[in-house]
Amino acid sequence: MDNPFFMILFACTLVPSLKISVADDSMNVLNALSDGKTLVSKGGKFELGFFSPGGSHKRYLGIWYKNMPIQTVVWVANRANPINDSSGILTVNSTGNIVLIQNGSLVWYTNSLKQAKNPVVELLDSGNLVIRNEAETDPEEYLWQSFDHPSDTFLPGMKLGWDLRTGLERMLTAWKSPDDPSPGDVSRHVKLYSYPEIHIMKGTKTVFRFGPWNGLFYNGAPDLRNNTIFGFTFVSTKDEKYTIFSLTNSFAITRVVLNQSTTIYRYVWVEKDQNWGIYTSLPKDFCDTYGLCGAYGNCMPSETQVCQCLKGFSPKSPEAWVASGWSQGCVRNKPLSCKDKLTDGFVKLENLKVPDTKHTWLDENIGLKECKVKCLNCCSCVAYTNSDIRGGGSGCVMWFGDLIDMKQFETGGQYLYIRMPASELGHLYSHKNTARIVASTVAAICVVLLLSSYIICRIRRKNADKRKSEKENINLRTYDFSSISNATNRFSLNNKLGQGGFGPVYKGTLPDGQEIAVKRLSKTSKQGMDEFKTEVMLIAKLQHRNLVKLLGCSTQQDEKLLIYEFMPNRSLDYFIFNPTRCALLGWVKRFEIIDGIARGLLYLHQDSRLKIIHRDLKTSNVLLDNNMNPKISDFGMARIFELDKDELDTNKVVGTYGYIPPEYVVHGSFSVKSDIFSFGVIVLEIISGKKNRGFCDPHHSLNLLGHAWRLWIENRPMELVDDLVDNTVGPSEIIRYIHIGLLCVQQSPQDRPNISSILLMLNGEKLLPEPNQPGFYTGKDHSTIKDSSLRNIGVGSINEMSNSLLEAR
Ligand SMILES: *[C@@H]1O[C@H](CO)[C@@H](O)[C@H](O)[C@H]1NC(C)=O
Ligand SMILES: *[C@@H]1O[C@H](CO)[C@@H](O)[C@H](O)[C@H]1NC(C)=O
Ligand SMILES: *[C@@H]1O[C@H](CO)[C@@H](O)[C@H](O)[C@H]1NC(C)=O
Ligand SMILES: *[C@@H]1O[C@H](CO)[C@@H](O)[C@H](O)[C@H]1NC(C)=O
Ligand SMILES: *[C@@H]1O[C@H](CO)[C@@H](O)[C@H](O)[C@H]1NC(C)=O
């Protein structure tokens, strides 16, 4: 990586840490580690160092069991970025981060943002590599830990799942092959459904479900109960959802590994053989294949006819069913009588792997009786049961929509009550009276339940965000003009970071060393100072992980300055459009960035107290923090510039050519759907590495959107893709993002999805409709559109518009 930006960085990091370059075996605190040396945990259980997997000659930094005749690697740092020789060096820098470098190039690094004070790096006997402050007394307070970033191995004490406060998901990803530890497309996730469960996925498709945690074990894997070697728990609080296991016998050595073949193995070390033995492997049988028998089909591993419809159901396509084409599933013989719902009842099935819990609703505080009443009063509730089977059962979980992926166990499964019309039940009417009383009060709950089953994780996340922002109470600072002027060297050209539609941005350093970004608003705003301050105050309250934080403002000397946190990694355009730097953003990161932008936008459009339309969303307004997390900047600018309060017919124009939608250019009308258009452009730019504006293709005169559309309809979407990016994800995943991008840039605003749908689409939880033709498909010469836009909009806006159009970055 011959990138000057990083070279400077190394010059600073290398010098102080090179003074001690030897880590000997008795030491578990690291300063620097070169290839050939290792770091051993205190009790001698694990070892950190460089290794070459399988038949490969490439070098990776990893952790393995010490003193084991077979090298068994449990964690790899630079999974996707191997070193080609033995010149790799690991160091710790003063910000408390571990940096792996080879001949001056950055290979891998940690990205803790926590305050470091004499950071030390330690390999624990659990196999966890941690960075902590030397004086920190709480043993769990780490600046960073490898257990938060698992590879393919699940070790005792490791939490797999979610920290909802930070949005961190810890998941397993398989090695691509035994000699390539780079992340394959097979992963294991805790799904944040109302009734959470664990899935093994290949790409975005589930291949196997462990089923939900029933208080004792995973419903779909009844063999995995506490035993003499290990014991499981699933922790589900409002802040965290994760699974963890610990050793029952402290001499045992066991690990769980996810294999690229989509199998998950639990190995136990067999002392007398000096080898690993397989304790269990999942999936277990044919019936574990996700959704094998389709809707309302029950999979029976021991029967000759493996798939059978539930009682009261018949194959949707009897011919296909006979030919073992089960995927179409089963349909009811008689419809439910929802309008006369009190005559429906339930059939109890036993020993079942319960259906996929994606569309469920959970209430841990009510029992089976109330659960039944609730389900009965909600037409779309099709099944219910206890969520926890301990002590005779407690809690209530209800299913909505088709029931899929059930399996019949001989023992160890769970009850499930399935809704049936009275005619299929014979004489079972006894619930009638209780039901009628509650019916009127509960009817409305139905809609709420259904909705909540879909958006539950969004709400959770939102609450987490809300709590966070309530904690950090908002203290907007008012800065002296002179102090800001000094901090930016009197707004010197050397400090200028860029020029946006609303004025230039400067980098500054306050006397206390804090780095800031200062936006000096151009003086076109007619707003008074007090109104300006009120607006800024409102905007400062918008706080979200994916928005740049506004620290304060300055309003002296007829100047309006906004002071933001400084983002060292600049903006998205700085990376994706540069042939060298673009290689630093792999697919996984790119997808995370797209996701982050969508979350920021969701907050602006729907979740914040003010409903904010950004109006100037573009890659140069997406800044990147130390972690390369995206943060939207310049939000609320439209408010500050006091554009029309309602969304229609703005008489001043902001926005940047290439990102603004046709309806805005032509009619000047702006809505949330205009931001969606800009978002779509950003998605396609991230995937292609090309700018929409100024895109040129030798074969035709289309812009990037037109080009993407043409490739799409000609069924060769992958030709859009930036080939400088790694190949860590499969084409189907990339095509999904292109698909979503195209949905966002559709000509007609009504066709574009809203941001909450987009998030569901990004998470693979929503079917994607076919996109229609994008806006600006004509491939018209840019100046034509520009001229007509100016003509159409008129009204004292030329300055603003050309400012934006000529934006300098
Ligand atoms: C330490 O390393 C991290 C990660 O590479 C980097 O972001 C940070 O700027 C470095 N700090 C110093 C003082 O070099
Ligand atoms: C190893 O990689 C570095 C950096 O990419 C390169 O400069 C060097 O020539 C490579 N060495 C070998 C032996 O391939
Ligand atoms: C290290 O990098 C420099 C320039 O980037 C190159 O000239 C040199 O050959 C590299 N050394 C090794 C051992 O790869
Ligand atoms: C997956 O498991 C099989 C069978 O145990 C093994 O041969 C193979 O090496 C494993 N694959 C990886 C990537 O570890
Ligand atoms: C199973 O083991 C875990 C960890 O040792 C423990 O926390 C949990 O309570 C055990 N569960 C049961 C039902 O014994």
Side-chain angles (χ1 to χ4, degrees):
M1 247 171 276
D2 46 3
N3 169 353
F5 184 56
F6 280 116
M7 293 302 275
I8 295 165
L9 221 143
F10 297 139
C12 323
T13 56
L14 267 179
V15 178
S17 43
L18 269 180
K19 60 180 189 278
I20 307 172
S21 59
V22 183
D24 73 55
D25 277 3
S26 63
M27 223 170 65
N28 63 337
V29 173
L30 170 134
N31 288 291
L33 189 72
S34 55
D35 199 335
K37 302 271 193 282
T38 63
L39 177 72
V40 175
S41 67
K42 229 179 219 151
K45 291 195 173 157
F46 286 95
E47 188 166 20
L48 168 85
F50 293 86
F51 73 100
S52 295
S56 161
H57 297 294
K58 294 175 177 160
R59 303 297 283 169
Y60 295 87
L61 179 75
I63 298 173
W64 55 85
Y65 292 91
K66 170 92 179 151
N67 295 330
M68 206 171 259
I70 310 162
Q71 188 181 53
T72 308
V73 174
V74 296
W75 182 77
V76 185
N78 53 323
R79 291 183 77 174
N81 204 6
I83 296 174
N84 57 7
D85 56 25
S86 56
S87 65
I89 294 178
L90 188 70
T91 61
V92 190
N93 81 15
S94 58
T95 62
N97 278 296
I98 312 182
V99 183
L100 178 58
I101 49 183
Q102 176 198 21
N103 192 17
S105 295
L106 187 60
V107 174
W108 175 87
Y109 57 96
T110 63
N111 38 34
S112 155
L113 295 176
K114 296 185 187 161
Q115 195 69 45
K117 270 209 184 110
N118 300 329
V120 291
V121 173
E122 210 177 330
L123 179 62
L124 306 181
D125 270 328
S126 56
N128 194 4
L129 179 68
V130 303
I131 314 174
R132 60 175 174 84
N133 285 332
E134 199 172 17
E136 179 60 61
T137 47
D138 183 348
E140 298 281 295
E141 272 298 311
Y142 302 127
L143 299 171
W144 178 91
Q145 55 177 327
S146 62
F147 272 17
D148 278 345
H149 307 273
S151 298
D152 66 341
T153 304
F154 186 22
L155 291 173
M158 196 162 176
K159 295 174 176 179
L160 275 191
W162 291 83
D163 185 335
L164 298 169
R165 293 161 300 195
T166 56
L168 173 74
E169 184 190 9
R170 307 175 200 91
M171 61 183 188
L172 300 180
T173 3
W175 287 27
K176 271 200 179 137
S177 71
D179 48 19
D180 181 3
S182 58
D185 61 351
V186 173
S187 52
R188 173 187 144 134
H189 299 265
V190 171
K191 288 284 189 178
L192 286 177
Y193 303 153
S194 182
Y195 195 29
E197 58 179 10
I198 295 179
H199 285 206
I200 306 288
M201 327 252 308
K202 188 169 174 66
T204 53
K205 288 212 168 68
T206 295
V207 294
F208 169 67
R209 291 189 311 129
F210 278 73
W213 179 254
N214 63 19
L216 287 178
F217 53 89
Y218 291 99
N219 163 262
D223 296 352
L224 286 185
R225 298 175 191 235
N226 286 6
N227 56 37
T228 54
I229 304 173
F230 52 85
F232 276 102
T233 347
F234 187 82
V235 174
S236 179
T237 66
K238 64 183 190 331
D239 290 338
E240 290 188 284
K241 304 227 179 281
Y242 63 84
T243 172
I244 190 169
F245 75 95
S246 55
L247 295 176
T248 324
N249 171 348
S250 59
F251 296 107
I253 300 176
T254 177
R255 71 198 159 99
V256 175
V257 179
L258 179 63
N259 187 301
Q260 179 63 21
S261 65
T262 73
T263 306
I264 191 148
Y265 293 100
R266 174 175 286 274
Y267 296 97
V268 172
W269 182 251
V270 185
E271 196 60 42
K272 70 171 171 41
D273 299 346
Q274 288 292 294
N275 204 346
W276 293 102
I278 295 176
Y279 186 89
T280 48
S281 70
L282 287 167
K284 230 179 134 156
D285 56 43
F286 197 45
C287 280
D288 282 333
T289 313
Y290 180 77
L292 182 73
C293 299
Y296 304 102
N298 191 3
C299 198
M300 313 218 167
S302 50
E303 305 278 320
T304 34
Q305 175 69 282
V306 175
C307 286
Q308 299 191 6
C309 292
L310 298 178
K311 254 200 197 123
F313 293 79
S314 307
K316 187 168 181 195
S317 158
E319 303 81 38
W321 196 261
V322 171
S324 304
W326 300 300
S327 59
Q328 294 183 45
C330 311
V331 290
R332 285 183 190 278
N333 296 338
K334 303 218 172 91
L336 292 170
S337 51
C338 243
K339 57 181 187 306
D340 188 14
K341 62 189 165 222
L342 299 184
T343 65
D344 285 347
F346 294 92
V347 169
K348 182 181 181 182
L349 301 179
E350 292 183 33
N351 274 331
L352 218 58
K353 174 174 181 176
V354 297
D356 186 301
T357 64
K358 184 166 188 173
H359 302 309
T360 50
W361 180 83
L362 175 72
D363 186 342
E364 284 166 328
N365 300 316
I366 60 174
L368 210 54
K369 267 194 188 145
E370 283 173 89
C371 196
K372 176 178 181 177
V373 173
K374 270 202 170 162
C375 186
L376 196 61
N377 284 287
C378 180
C379 271
S380 47
C381 175
V382 287
Y384 72 92
T385 191
N386 277 136
S387 55
D388 192 325
I389 63 169
R390 285 176 294 182
S394 63
C396 165
V397 55
M398 301 190 243
W399 274 261
F400 303 88
D402 288 345
L403 303 177
I404 61 161
D405 199 39
M406 285 168 280
K407 171 180 173 182
Q408 190 68 53
F409 290 113
E410 310 235 307
T411 58
Q414 194 160 343
Y415 302 139
L416 186 71
Y417 297 87
I418 297 192
R419 187 186 200 111
M420 284 290 162
S423 52
E424 294 278 328
L425 289 169
H427 54 279
L428 294 174
Y429 284 99
S430 53
H431 56 271
K432 235 174 150 178
N433 288 335
T434 40
R436 185 163 290 148
I437 299 163
V438 203
S440 53
T441 52
V442 199
I445 294 178
C446 187
V447 180
V448 178
L449 295 187
L450 236 191
L451 265 178
S452 56
S453 79
Y454 287 91
I455 55 176
I456 202 95
C457 52
R458 219 193 77 209
I459 293 174
R460 292 245 164 80
R461 184 109 14 109
K462 187 171 146 188
N463 284 342
D465 289 341
K466 209 187 266 170
R467 272 197 307 283
K468 216 164 153 193
S469 64
E470 275 162 12
K471 243 192 288 167
E472 294 167 8
N473 79 45
I474 293 140
N475 46 1
L476 186 72
R477 275 188 62 183
T478 315
Y479 292 85
D480 249 13
F481 180 76
S482 60
S483 72
I484 298 298
S485 171
N486 287 340
T488 57
N489 280 327
R490 301 206 166 66
F491 301 100
S492 94
L493 223 49
N494 287 337
N495 284 46
K496 189 161 160 180
L497 292 170
Q499 168 81 39
F502 303 97
V505 182
Y506 299 88
K507 183 182 172 181
T509 311
L510 295 174
D512 67 2
Q514 185 181 12
E515 294 186 316
I516 51 174
V518 180
K519 175 160 250 180
R520 190 181 202 182
L521 295 184
S522 49
K523 296 180 182 166
T524 46
S525 165
K526 295 191 190 70
Q527 213 175 26
M529 284 300 177
D530 286 343
E531 291 162 286
F532 171 74
K533 267 192 172 167
T534 315
E535 275 310 310
V536 171
M537 202 68 123
L538 274 175
I539 286 158
K541 286 196 181 130
L542 301 178
Q543 297 210 7
H544 186 271
R545 191 150 37 89
N546 297 112
L547 300 182
V548 172
K549 193 162 157 191
L550 182 61
L551 301 173
C553 65
S554 170
T555 54
Q556 291 164 351
Q557 309 193 2
D558 208 20
E559 289 270 2
K560 290 172 185 160
L561 307 178
L562 293 173
I563 291 88
Y564 293 95
E565 61 178 331
F566 175 69
M567 290 289 134
N569 278 331
R570 304 211 196 181
S571 49
L572 193 49
D573 59 335
Y574 181 73
F575 285 90
I576 57 173
F577 300 137
N578 178 290
T580 314
R581 286 186 288 264
C582 70
L584 295 172
L585 286 186
W587 284 119
V588 173
K589 197 75 227 178
R590 284 179 193 227
F591 292 167
E592 282 170 15
I593 287 173
I594 291 171
D595 234 54
I597 300 170
R599 285 186 200 293
L601 208 52
L602 176 74
Y603 179 79
L604 290 177
H605 283 182
Q606 294 181 5
D607 287 354
S608 68
R609 273 164 275 190
L610 312 165
K611 178 175 164 182
I612 297 270
I613 301 177
H614 189 296
R615 293 170 197 254
D616 197 14
L617 203 57
K618 55 184 169 184
T619 50
S620 59
N621 271 341
V622 174
L623 309 189
L624 297 168
D625 73 5
N626 273 321
N627 273 343
M628 296 299 235
N629 287 326
K631 292 190 180 240
I632 299 174
S633 72
D634 262 14
F635 54 91
M637 280 298 150
R639 265 187 90 102
I640 287 184
F641 272 76
E642 234 201 351
L643 294 163
D644 280 2
K645 291 285 188 277
D646 56 5
E647 279 74 50
L648 290 174
D649 302 328
T650 54
N651 57 8
K652 270 186 197 171
V653 171
V654 291
T656 302
Y657 183 75
Y659 294 91
I660 46 178
E663 72 272 13
Y664 185 45
V665 171
V666 179
H667 306 295
S669 67
F670 220 109
S671 69
V672 287
K673 293 298 181 71
S674 324
D675 275 355
I676 299 294
F677 184 91
S678 313
F679 174 77
V681 174
I682 293 177
V683 170
L684 294 172
E685 289 185 334
I686 291 176
I687 302 293
S688 65
K690 309 225 167 51
K691 286 184 188 174
N692 184 34
R693 172 184 173 206
F695 175 81
C696 95
D697 184 287
H699 303 109
H700 51 67
S701 63
L702 300 171
N703 63 6
L704 177 65
L705 305 189
H707 178 60
W709 173 246
R710 176 181 278 197
L711 292 174
W712 183 261
I713 52 182
E714 289 173 4
N715 209 6
R716 3 177 229 138
M718 283 305 281
E719 288 175 35
L720 183 69
V721 168
D722 187 347
D723 37 65
L724 291 170
V725 187
D726 57 29
N727 53 3
T728 49
V729 306
S732 62
E733 190 73 339
I734 296 171
I735 291 170
R736 200 159 54 86
Y737 277 80
I738 296 174
H739 194 158
I740 294 170
L742 284 171
L743 288 171
C744 296
V745 298
Q746 292 176 99
Q747 170 88 37
S748 157
Q750 294 82 356
D751 289 348
R752 297 173 208 150
N754 62 21
I755 192 66
S756 45
S757 305
I758 291 171
L759 269 162
L760 290 176
M761 292 175 181
L762 291 171
N763 292 333
E765 290 174 6
K766 196 172 159 84
L767 277 179
L768 306 182
E770 269 306 304
N772 295 318
Q773 179 176 307
F776 298 128
Y777 176 56
T778 53
K780 260 187 209 158
D781 171 11
H782 294 163
S783 58
T784 324
I785 293 177
K786 189 165 143 188
D787 290 348
S788 74
S789 67
L790 292 178
R791 209 173 38 246
N792 278 313
I793 296 156
V795 200
S797 62
I798 310 271
N799 271 346
E800 199 73 62
M801 176 86 172
S802 43
N803 240 343
S804 303
L805 289 174
L806 299 173
E807 50 64 80
R809 275 192 224 166

